[in-house]
Amino acid sequence: MTTAERIKIIEASCKQVGRGVFFSTLIIVASFLPVFLLEGQEGKLFGPLAWTKTFILAIDAILAVTLAPVLISFFLKGKLRTDDHNPLNRGLERIYRPILNWCVTWRKTTIGINIIALLVSIPLLLSLGSEFMPPLDEGTILFMPVTQPDVSNAQAKQLLQVQDKIIKSIPEVANVLGKAGRANTATDNSPISMTETIVLLKPKSEWRAGIKKEDIIDELNAKLQIPGVVNGWTQPIINRINMLSTGIRTDVGLKIYGQNLDTINVLATQMKQALVGLNGVKDLYVDPITGGKYLDIQVNKDAIGRYGLSVDDVNEVVESALGGMNLTMTVEGRQRFSVNARLAQDYRNNLEAIKRTLVQTMNNGPIPLSSVADIKISDGPAMIQSENALLRGTVLFNVRDRDLGSTVKEAQDKLNSLVKTLPKGYYIEWSGQYENLIRAEHTLKMILPVVLIIIFACLYFAFNSIREAFFSLISIPFALIGGAYMVYFFGVHLSVAVAVGFIALFGIAVETGIVMVIYLNDAMQQLVILKGNSKETITKEDLRFYVMNGAVKRLRPKLMTVCVALFGLVPVLWATGTGSDVMLPIVLPMIGGVLTSSTHILLVTPLIFLMVKEYELKKYGKLEVLEVKES
């Protein structure tokens, strides 16, 4: 073979597959369009993945039609052998040909099995639970208990010490660090009644045999059942993300809006009682908005009149003795600090001591504060929370041992009757991770139909035929079969990560289908060149023979397309460590889908192609052959 002949063959081969390869790459890029439109946490997590893959594939699409043919012309030299000389290829063909022959012979059975498998996968998907994101194991536990709003500093300190001691008694715990109240920052509005304890765990190699992180949390929760304290378990990073994005420090929060704090508190308590015992609901409590204790000092105007005092005189004593009065300002470099003066702690640490605080009069000397004011401890809001110009209360809970979607759905069903009887001007809103789940679902449902239209358009431009584009597109539903089975049998809930896996699967499935359709059309071109394009010269046996050859003789490039995807994904099934619990839901639908879609493309696509060509020959008297100019 001369150099010119070799170059000509390479040129013809590249033209044959180049168009399909280029558009299949564009289809994979288009299939990732929904990922670019994700917002919030999911957008920040999967955005880099989508951008990286898009840039790689964009360069790949260009190189496939420019650099690849040049490299082939440089390296494809010497003695060239046919596929029959490759023992692996011969072995695969011996297995594939009789199976494909059986499928072509038993057409209705083959198509029926595929349709049944597709129909079975639908209830499997519908039976799966849903969640926003698969829980990422941060390796650390955050213990966030809440106690009574009127807890004192001393009680909070004692409680924190007791809790830390109990937590440290667990063998898997390495270190414990707890705090009560808020940090010295304006961004942390935690009351003294809420403590945060970070629990650092030892390496898993030092844990007791057979114990998991969930078992450690259950053991800690059982040991920390302290009266008046509601336990809450989460992780440091996801807790901060939840609080910043939704204002909720648990997985799910039921926000109750209204005009009166007492009414909101009553409604929140009723809703909490309705959710008690619900499967999957853990750490359930009402965020306290009432129950705070306030020192209430009301000046008795009749009494101060008898002593010749004014209201300002009494208020000045209260301010200087209890609140602290600014005396001066101290300067330390560029910093300025006010200097305050008030009574020592021993003189203001209880109600009776405050009542004995002295007030100086003009004619009667010092008298106790209780002589001119009514002093008592009164109830009030522990913290006033507002949102959207309305007062707000919250029922908080985490979800464990169950998926988020079905848990919230059951909770909503339980609260339906209560919600219908809410007073006028009061309403509820579900927040937390569930709010993110609804937002992500809405985005995906809105953009997926657009993506399918874009994929279909790319297929049309690849083949210049609506029929051939449809052949490649129907591989997508059959790719869902394996994805559904894999997700179901691994016990993974539907989430944004699983959706991203299915989105990536769409492009891979279509790519394999394009390769098959290209080679089947190439077989039709050879048939037309040999026998002409007429039903008088082409028989059904001829069609079957050439379709079988088009499918079998080019088996290796089709399997290579499938194997490249599988070999890169399968190792993730055995991955361990931080991040593997997020990668697994992405990979599962891709692995299962690639297996079933490739099976469908190798066995069913040639069958459907053959049936369509038989129909064309019978109805029109000739075949519709792509990229063949009839003489």
Side-chain angles (χ1 to χ4, degrees):
M1 182 186 299
T2 64
T3 302
E5 291 174 339
R6 183 172 56 83
I7 295 296
K8 188 175 181 180
I9 294 173
I10 292 173
E11 181 184 354
S13 301
C14 290
K15 285 181 178 179
Q16 180 186 17
V17 298
R19 187 185 185 95
V21 170
F22 179 79
F23 279 102
S24 64
T25 306
L26 291 184
I27 287 169
I28 296 176
V29 173
S31 68
F32 267 82
L33 183 60
V35 182
F36 290 111
L37 298 179
L38 292 176
E39 304 170 341
Q41 302 174 40
E42 65 274 21
K44 289 181 173 61
L45 183 61
F46 295 113
L49 168 66
W51 281 111
T52 302
K53 190 160 187 174
T54 297
F55 283 125
I56 291 174
L57 290 173
I59 299 300
D60 175 65
I62 297 171
L63 296 179
V65 296
T66 56
L67 181 62
V70 177
L71 294 178
I72 292 172
S73 66
F74 278 125
F75 294 104
L76 199 61
K77 296 179 180 179
K79 187 176 181 181
L80 303 179
R81 297 183 177 183
T82 62
D83 289 345
D84 294 335
H85 288 80
N86 189 315
L88 178 61
N89 202 67
R90 290 199 305 270
L92 291 173
E93 285 188 12
R94 289 196 189 101
I95 298 171
Y96 178 48
R97 184 179 286 276
I99 296 175
L100 179 60
N101 186 60
W102 185 93
C103 293
V104 171
T105 303
W106 299 93
R107 302 181 180 188
K108 293 181 180 179
T109 304
T110 302
I111 295 175
I113 291 173
N114 272 264
I115 293 175
I116 290 171
L118 179 61
L119 294 176
V120 170
S121 66
I122 295 174
L124 284 183
L125 281 175
L126 295 178
S127 67
L128 294 173
S130 60
E131 60 187 1
F132 172 57
M133 293 289 289
L136 173 66
D137 183 9
E138 299 173 19
T140 306
I141 300 172
L142 180 62
F143 178 47
M144 292 186 67
V146 176
T147 186
Q148 300 301 317
D150 57 350
V151 66
S152 66
N153 289 354
Q155 289 174 318
K157 180 180 178 181
Q158 182 184 10
L159 180 64
L160 194 63
Q161 291 173 336
V162 171
Q163 290 171 341
D164 289 356
K165 185 176 181 180
I166 294 174
I167 293 172
K168 192 64 177 69
S169 66
I170 301 297
E172 286 73 21
V173 175
N175 294 295
V176 184
L177 175 64
K179 78 171 182 68
R182 69 179 182 88
N184 188 23
T185 169
T187 61
D188 189 352
N189 60 350
S190 304
I192 193 69
S193 59
M194 187 179 78
T195 62
E196 295 181 3
T197 301
I198 297 177
V199 183
L200 300 178
L201 301 176
K202 296 177 181 177
K204 288 188 177 181
S205 59
E206 300 179 23
W207 291 9
R208 287 168 286 175
I211 198 169
K212 297 184 295 184
K213 186 177 179 182
E214 292 78 12
D215 301 324
I216 297 174
I217 293 176
D218 291 339
E219 185 176 349
L220 286 169
N221 193 56
K223 288 189 173 185
L224 289 167
Q225 294 300 317
I226 301 173
V229 179
V230 179
N231 293 342
W233 301 93
T234 180
Q235 300 181 99
I237 298 174
I238 190 62
N239 173 257
R240 297 305 175 197
I241 292 174
N242 287 340
M243 292 183 72
L244 288 171
S245 60
T246 64
I248 300 300
R249 57 179 173 267
T250 53
D251 293 340
V252 183
L254 177 58
K255 296 178 180 178
I256 305 159
Y257 297 93
Q259 303 291 340
N260 184 275
L261 285 176
D262 292 328
T263 305
I264 292 174
N265 187 59
V266 171
L267 294 172
T269 304
Q270 292 174 352
M271 293 180 182
K272 176 206 167 186
Q273 292 301 321
L275 298 178
V276 170
L278 191 68
N279 182 29
V281 173
K282 307 292 183 182
D283 312 330
L284 175 64
Y285 67 97
V286 175
D287 202 10
I289 55 176
T290 61
K293 301 300 182 183
Y294 293 86
L295 178 63
D296 194 358
I297 301 176
Q298 295 182 348
V299 177
N300 188 328
K301 293 185 178 180
D302 293 335
I304 62 175
R306 289 194 295 269
Y307 288 108
L309 298 173
S310 66
V311 174
D312 288 341
D313 294 333
V314 178
N315 286 342
E316 187 176 343
V317 171
V318 172
E319 180 186 3
S320 59
L322 304 179
M325 178 177 288
N326 288 339
L327 300 180
T328 184
M329 183 80 70
T330 179
V331 179
E332 297 182 12
R334 295 180 56 83
Q335 296 177 312
R336 306 291 188 270
F337 300 97
S338 60
V339 178
N340 293 13
R342 62 176 177 175
L343 294 181
Q345 182 73 29
D346 293 342
Y347 294 97
R348 53 182 174 84
N349 61 358
N350 61 68
L351 190 61
E352 293 304 319
I354 294 171
K355 288 181 178 180
R356 293 193 297 268
T357 302
L358 298 179
V359 180
Q360 186 66 40
T361 63
M362 294 291 292
N363 303 317
N364 299 286
I367 59 173
L369 181 60
S370 58
S371 300
V372 292
D374 298 323
I375 306 171
K376 60 181 179 179
I377 302 294
S378 59
D379 293 329
M383 180 185 295
I384 299 177
Q385 300 178 359
S386 65
E387 190 174 332
N388 298 327
L390 288 172
L391 296 174
R392 189 199 79 189
T394 317
V395 181
L396 303 171
F397 63 88
N398 289 315
V399 178
R400 290 198 295 273
D401 305 325
R402 190 181 177 185
D403 67 287
L404 179 68
S406 64
T407 303
V408 176
K409 180 66 171 61
E410 187 176 347
Q412 290 173 336
D413 294 340
K414 272 203 165 190
L415 295 177
N416 273 341
S417 57
L418 190 57
V419 171
K420 292 177 182 177
T421 60
L422 287 176
K424 186 177 180 180
Y426 290 77
Y427 66 95
I428 68 169
E429 183 181 85
W430 292 91
S431 188
Q433 291 287 330
Y434 183 73
E435 180 182 340
N436 295 328
L437 172 63
I438 297 301
R439 184 191 65 243
E441 283 183 351
H442 176 73
T443 302
L444 292 172
K445 288 177 181 177
M446 179 181 65
I447 196 62
L448 275 178
V450 178
V451 171
L452 291 176
I453 294 173
I454 294 174
I455 291 176
F456 184 81
C458 291
L459 289 171
Y460 174 77
F461 288 121
F463 298 115
N464 290 324
S465 169
I466 294 178
R467 186 180 299 153
E468 304 296 343
F470 178 74
F471 286 154
S472 298
L473 194 65
I474 60 173
S475 61
I476 290 179
F478 292 95
L480 294 175
I481 298 174
Y485 279 99
M486 286 289 283
V487 172
Y488 179 82
F489 287 114
F490 271 79
V492 174
H493 298 309
L494 293 177
S495 63
V496 177
V498 174
V500 170
F502 276 112
I503 288 168
L505 171 63
F506 291 169
I508 297 173
V510 172
E511 180 186 29
T512 311
I514 287 177
V515 175
M516 172 61 83
V517 173
I518 287 174
Y519 289 133
L520 290 176
N521 276 294
D522 179 58
M524 292 300 98
Q525 292 174 19
Q526 296 175 18
L527 175 61
V528 169
I529 293 172
L530 181 66
K531 290 201 167 187
N533 194 357
S534 173
K535 66 179 180 180
E536 281 79 20
T537 58
I538 299 176
T539 64
K540 287 187 177 182
E541 289 71 21
D542 292 332
L543 279 176
R544 176 167 177 159
F545 176 79
Y546 276 87
V547 168
M548 289 278 294
N549 276 355
V552 174
K553 289 300 182 182
R554 303 295 178 86
L555 179 62
R556 186 170 61 179
K558 299 161 196 169
L559 290 179
M560 286 174 61
T561 307
V562 175
C563 291
V564 166
L566 281 179
F567 291 160
L569 297 174
V570 169
V572 180
L573 294 178
W574 291 277
T576 57
T578 303
S580 60
D581 36 13
V582 176
M583 287 304 301
L584 186 65
I586 300 177
V587 167
L588 285 177
M590 295 176 68
I591 293 176
V594 165
L595 291 174
T596 54
S597 68
S598 58
T599 303
H600 168 83
I601 290 165
L602 290 173
L603 301 179
V604 182
T605 299
L607 169 59
I608 298 176
F609 187 88
L610 174 61
M611 293 171 65
V612 171
K613 293 306 174 185
E614 289 177 351
Y615 173 79
E616 288 176 1
L617 196 64
K618 180 179 179 181
K619 185 172 182 179
Y620 303 110
K622 64 177 183 177
L623 302 176
E624 180 185 329
V625 184
L626 301 183
E627 299 180 0
V628 173
K629 294 181 180 179
E630 300 181 38
S631 56

